Amino acid sequence: MPKQQERDRPWLFRTYAGHSTAEKSNALYRANLAKGQTGLSVAFDLPTQTGYDSDHGLAKGEVGKVGVPVCHLGDMRALFKDIPLEQMNTSMTINATAPWLLALYIAVAEEQGADVSALQGTVQNDLVKEYLSRGTYICPPKPSLAMITDVAAYTREHLPKWNPMNVCSYHLQEAGATPEQELAFALATGIAVLDDLKKKVPAESFPEMVGRISFFVNAGIRFVTELCKMRAFTELWDEICRDRYGIAEEKYRRFRYGVQVNSLGLTEQQPENNVYRILLEMLAVTLSKNARARAVQLPAWNEALGLPRPWDQQWSLRMQQILAYETDLLEYGDLFDGNPAITAKVEALKNGARDELKTLDGMGGAIAAIEYMKGRLVESNSERLARIEAGETTVVGVNRWTEAEPSPLTSGDGSILTVDPAVEADQVTRLNEWRAARDKDAVEAALAQLRAAATAKENVMPASIACAKAGVTTGEWAGVMRQVHGQYRGPTGVAKSPSNRTEGLDDIREAVDAVSSRLGRRLSFLMGKPGLDGHSNGAEQIAARARDCGMEINYEGIRLTPAEIVAAAGEKEVHVIGLSILSGSHLPLIAEVMERLREAGLAHIPVVVGGIIPDEDARQLRDMGVARVYTPKDFELNRIMFDIVALAEPKAVAAE
């Protein structure tokens, strides 16, 4: 028999997981590892990501929804119970509180008796994309950059196998970035981090630290373009490391990346089609050996409907395993070297990215150009949506071939996972018990040490680890950072002045003018994002389209309390309120908004709501008095604009 071709090692198989409580998430991790998953990818809930304890006012309704709540060492201990961290490769999708979660991870590893220097994994630790697309930032950009490089400098000395930063272009694509923008904005972020890190590590250690910066990218449905984008990423990063930083060793210039394929393109309509989308998108980051991902995590087919169940996550894991072990992909070298079409596309992408990088350099780099980049993303996303609305971009089941048989996958109770509302109360009870049992003097001393380090601009990692061991909570750690550095409100990317993108809006603009005339002033629309959800793409596009249709818009960005939204509605005397929530916390947050509107004598203002909202929840919202409920299937923004105009009609208001 001929000798079998030697196969490459497959990438790390991960599923992005975590919900409800540390105990339930731990059971999910152990089950996934038993099914053949080879690495962990931890999802944290929004309070943990934004530095609030589970009992903080802003955490109401958000606890355990999009990830696991981790308030202190006890939670982290429960999260990794019976999972030997010394043998794991753990990715933690955490940014603003990355130094803190890494400190907790180190403390738990030490309790397990692990050799800390053997720990392997990644903290995402990319604050720039938080200002641009995800919204879980806490502090202003400059001190946030310093915390990124604090983590990197600490891991150089103590965790030599740990990736201290994952430049994350994933959410840039989710926010509408073109491939050229995704390349340029991510590479500019890497440059900003390395420029700052260079001051914090010995010169002889810098090349090795360059080699430990990793990336986390997105792969969309245009998989040939995405494959070329990944080849462009590898070549541009090599060029930057060699020419800008003088890195001679090829291994330190290697573009190392993990990927989650696109969630933006997953559809609520005919959701079974998402299985094919996920498979094709995975091919983009695995087919080309020279640009193959080091780790892949796939969304579940039903993420546009709600939280996936363990079975749904297993299905995505099996997709990876079939490609890696049943096909012959890993038996071959790169399949695309020398292909003229691929080479031409890669060069075009590189040239577009270089032009954008020159613009950013001229502005002073990524940190100085945050407002510019945010505006560009909002514009690109508007163009993307307009193409779908106009039918120029085909989305199967959405704007073509919309007639379909009912999906048996979505029928019946339990077709998606929901988080028990009792989870929040249980988590708060455990948090209070933790606070009561700890040594208060030790906590105060550790927090004072942290405050002194942050004020003196010293590396915050040693003090953070001391805080973890003393029993400090996530909210207390972040509270010190807020005190020292202040809080920050990022740019919305939505200018007040209308854009010149008015094609196809004539009928709506006439309707807005007509109703404004009957109202006696310009139709005023308030777009609000209550709670901690930072996924602002939908809110931005609704606000921008309302502006371009001639409405007066009021949009102040993310993380507003229901009280702030109601106060703004009264102060601005708005005619319609729009609320956007994608974290699954719509019921408690919107109930509070509606109650506060009644208390303020503003119950006459119609409220429209958008988000990932199951049918039963939509019925409950309408019972609360919500006028319209929109979900991802409602992609025609112009129809939503006509609804807003109709709701603002003086007669409609009187009838309410």
Side-chain angles (χ1 to χ4, degrees):
M1 286 183 65
K3 183 181 176 184
Q4 188 172 356
Q5 174 74 33
E6 187 175 336
R7 297 171 63 88
D8 290 337
R9 287 178 60 191
W11 51 91
L12 279 170
F13 302 159
R14 286 177 172 148
T15 50
Y16 182 51
H19 66 87
S20 303
T21 65
E23 289 80 5
K24 289 184 178 180
S25 297
N26 171 262
L28 179 62
Y29 296 160
R30 287 189 285 113
N32 284 346
L33 290 168
K35 291 171 185 171
Q37 187 172 300
T38 53
L40 293 176
S41 181
V42 182
F44 296 98
D45 73 355
L46 286 172
T48 305
Q49 292 184 51
T50 50
Y52 294 105
D53 286 332
S54 297
D55 60 350
H56 191 280
L58 278 170
K60 183 179 179 182
E62 305 278 17
V63 176
K65 284 282 171 64
V66 301
V68 59
V70 174
C71 290
H72 48 72
L73 184 61
D75 284 340
M76 197 63 129
R77 195 183 286 145
L79 186 63
F80 293 110
K81 184 181 179 185
D82 297 327
I83 297 176
L85 297 187
E86 195 172 326
Q87 299 171 30
M88 277 299 107
N89 190 307
T90 305
S91 170
M92 294 193 283
T93 303
I94 198 71
N95 296 286
T97 52
W100 173 239
L101 271 299
L102 180 57
L104 290 171
Y105 190 86
I106 291 168
V108 169
E110 287 185 359
E111 286 185 350
Q112 290 185 356
D115 175 2
V116 170
S117 68
L119 295 179
Q120 295 185 72
T122 306
V123 275
Q124 193 164 95
N125 204 19
D126 177 358
L127 268 298
V128 176
K129 65 92 178 174
E130 295 302 316
Y131 304 124
L132 299 179
S133 53
R134 185 60 188 84
T136 69
Y137 54 79
I138 298 173
C139 299
K142 285 186 178 178
S144 293
L145 178 64
M147 280 189 267
I148 293 172
T149 52
D150 278 359
V151 169
Y154 185 85
T155 60
R156 180 198 71 81
E157 201 169 347
H158 301 283
L159 283 78
K161 296 183 178 180
W162 194 270
N163 297 321
M165 199 253 179
N166 219 210
V167 180
C168 181
S169 71
Y170 175 85
H171 287 101
L172 301 181
Q173 186 178 129
E174 297 287 295
T178 65
E180 293 86 351
Q181 289 169 345
E182 188 180 345
L183 285 162
F185 295 178
L187 293 169
T189 298
I191 289 168
V193 169
L194 290 179
D195 284 353
D196 195 65
L197 180 58
K198 204 169 186 179
K199 308 166 195 169
K200 295 186 177 181
V201 299
E204 64 273 15
S205 299
F206 184 69
E208 181 230 337
M209 292 307 299
V210 172
R212 283 170 58 193
I213 299 295
S214 59
F215 288 74
F216 186 70
V217 304
N218 201 331
I221 193 65
R222 293 171 59 82
F223 79 93
V224 176
T225 297
E226 295 295 310
L227 184 151
C228 292
K229 180 190 76 182
M230 296 322 308
R231 289 172 72 95
F233 252 135
T234 64
E235 293 174 24
L236 284 168
W237 185 243
D238 182 80
E239 185 180 294
I240 288 165
C241 293
R242 185 189 67 233
D243 298 347
R244 186 182 180 102
Y245 299 110
I247 307 299
E249 299 94 329
E250 187 178 344
K251 66 178 180 179
Y252 294 145
R253 303 198 305 262
R254 192 174 299 138
F255 183 82
R256 299 177 313 117
Y257 78 99
V259 64
Q260 173 163 316
V261 306
N262 189 281
S263 291
L264 180 67
L266 301 182
T267 63
E268 180 183 0
Q269 305 95 315
Q270 301 176 28
E272 60 277 5
N273 295 341
N274 294 330
V275 175
Y276 305 127
R277 294 184 175 107
I278 293 165
L279 172 60
L280 290 168
E281 290 163 356
M282 177 175 61
L283 293 178
V285 295
T286 53
L287 284 179
S288 175
K289 180 177 178 179
N290 293 343
R292 185 170 292 151
R294 292 289 193 89
V296 177
Q297 59 191 46
L298 302 179
W301 66 280
N302 55 354
E303 285 192 19
L305 305 177
L307 200 60
R309 302 157 297 184
W311 182 87
D312 306 312
Q313 291 191 332
Q314 174 186 294
W315 202 9
S316 288
L317 175 62
R318 295 293 181 252
M319 198 182 295
Q320 295 201 56
Q321 291 167 328
I322 290 166
L323 179 64
Y325 293 112
E326 292 192 22
T327 78
D328 57 355
L329 174 66
L330 299 181
E331 296 171 14
Y332 291 89
D334 198 287
L335 305 176
F336 301 97
D337 283 352
N339 181 303
I342 296 292
T343 300
K345 182 63 175 177
V346 170
E347 288 305 311
L349 289 171
K350 285 162 62 178
N351 288 334
R354 287 190 191 105
D355 289 343
E356 192 71 77
L357 277 166
K358 283 179 189 171
T359 300
L360 298 175
D361 274 343
M363 296 176 133
I367 297 296
I370 283 169
E371 190 163 352
Y372 162 79
M373 291 191 286
K374 179 67 175 178
R376 292 275 283 148
L377 290 176
V378 172
E379 288 172 11
S380 295
N381 208 14
S382 293
E383 291 164 6
R384 181 189 69 84
L385 287 170
R387 288 192 296 271
I388 295 172
E389 282 186 274
E392 295 169 16
T393 297
T394 296
V395 183
V396 174
V398 173
N399 61 3
R400 287 189 76 181
W401 305 294
T402 55
E403 295 298 318
E405 296 296 326
S407 171
L409 293 174
T410 59
S411 61
D413 292 338
S415 59
I416 58 171
L417 186 65
T418 56
V419 175
D420 187 342
V423 160
E424 186 167 322
D426 291 345
Q427 173 69 12
V428 169
T429 298
R430 284 192 299 274
L431 173 60
N432 288 328
E433 289 170 352
W434 176 268
R435 289 193 187 115
R438 64 189 182 172
D439 183 333
K440 291 183 174 57
D441 291 339
V443 168
E444 287 304 317
L447 287 170
Q449 180 186 344
L450 177 66
R451 192 175 297 109
T455 302
K457 298 184 179 178
E458 297 171 358
N459 193 308
V460 298
M461 280 303 299
S464 296
I465 294 169
C467 282
K469 293 176 178 178
V472 166
T473 67
T474 296
E476 290 165 344
W477 181 90
V480 169
M481 296 304 156
R482 289 183 172 95
Q483 290 166 11
V484 174
H485 301 303
Q487 290 211 102
Y488 179 73
R489 285 200 72 78
T492 66
V494 182
K496 290 283 187 184
S497 55
S499 72
N500 57 9
R501 194 181 300 108
T502 57
E503 186 179 348
L505 301 182
D506 291 345
D507 290 349
I508 309 174
R509 289 169 68 87
E510 287 176 12
V512 170
D513 288 343
V515 80
S516 297
S517 177
R518 289 190 285 276
L519 289 166
R521 61 188 176 91
R522 182 58 44 185
L523 192 167
S524 181
F525 175 67
L526 184 148
M527 186 69 238
K529 276 199 67 64
L532 296 177
D533 171 35
H535 282 112
S536 57
N537 303 337
E540 290 156 4
Q541 293 308 315
I542 292 289
R545 184 66 61 87
R547 173 203 66 196
D548 293 344
C549 289
M551 299 182 204
E552 176 188 282
I553 60 160
N554 303 276
Y555 176 57
E556 298 304 322
I558 62 173
R559 273 193 257 164
L560 298 173
T561 65
E564 288 171 327
I565 290 169
V566 171
E571 181 187 336
K572 304 284 186 181
E573 298 182 334
V574 302
H575 299 110
V576 181
I577 297 170
L579 302 175
S580 170
I581 305 171
L582 278 84
S583 65
S585 302
H586 40 269
L587 290 177
L589 288 170
I590 291 165
E592 184 177 348
V593 170
M594 302 303 286
E595 179 60 31
R596 287 182 179 274
L597 284 170
R598 282 190 289 274
E599 291 172 354
L602 301 174
H604 61 279
I605 302 176
V607 174
V608 299
V609 171
I612 299 174
I613 301 171
D615 290 343
E616 177 54 36
D617 288 4
R619 284 190 284 273
Q620 290 186 54
L621 292 173
R622 284 190 283 270
D623 289 344
M624 291 177 197
V626 170
R628 299 281 190 281
V629 177
Y630 302 105
T631 65
K633 71 178 183 297
D634 299 297
F635 67 96
E636 296 174 305
L637 298 190
N638 286 356
R639 185 175 67 78
I640 296 173
M641 294 301 113
F642 274 120
D643 287 351
I644 292 169
V645 171
L647 289 169
E649 275 283 359
K651 287 181 183 176
V653 172
E656 295 278 338

